[in-house]
Amino acid sequence: VDCTQNPATTSTSFRVVHNRMGSQIEVVIDLFDMSGRRLWTSEHTVVPEQSMVEIPWNLSIDGGRSLGTGVYLYRVRLSSDGSSYASKAKKLIVISGK
């Protein structure tokens, strides 16, 4: 699990490397502030042809509000064919131009 832009200014993409090519997988991404409040969630169901899924994000939350400068935690959860979720968490740094 990684981000293409970190620190991010206007957008980033979450990259998830897996070993489930050709299987249906569910990818759930949660973003938290440093106090643990969930600010954003994105859920995707895909059948990847490659060993990586890339999910772009424009750093907007709450119906379009831009994420402010700060350090955030993101957690990616992955499930395949109804299995339990595997998860990984990392930090995302955002530098806002506002």
Side-chain angles (χ1 to χ4, degrees), residues 24-74:
Q24 179 173 306
I25 60 174
E26 294 179 39
V27 180
V28 180
I29 304 168
D30 296 305
L31 182 83
F32 303 90
D33 64 16
M34 293 307 283
S35 65
R37 288 180 298 175
R38 186 172 52 197
L39 303 175
W40 176 79
T41 298
S42 179
E43 298 182 23
H44 304 270
T45 301
V46 296
V47 179
E49 296 178 9
Q50 299 179 353
S51 62
M52 183 182 70
V53 174
E54 188 167 334
I55 299 170
W57 182 41
N58 64 1
L59 304 181
S60 66
I61 58 173
D62 294 336
R65 183 172 61 96
S66 294
L67 199 59
T69 297
V71 178
Y72 300 90
L73 298 174
Y74 66 91

Side-chain angles (χ1 to χ4, degrees), residues 63-98:
R65 183 172 61 96
S66 294
L67 199 59
T69 297
V71 178
Y72 300 90
L73 298 174
Y74 66 91
R75 176 182 62 195
V76 177
R77 294 180 286 155
L78 184 72
S79 174
S80 174
D81 297 325
S83 68
S84 60
Y85 282 95
S87 67
K88 177 82 174 186
K90 288 191 168 184
K91 290 181 183 176
L92 172 64
I93 299 169
V94 174
I95 301 172
S96 175
K98 294 180 181 179

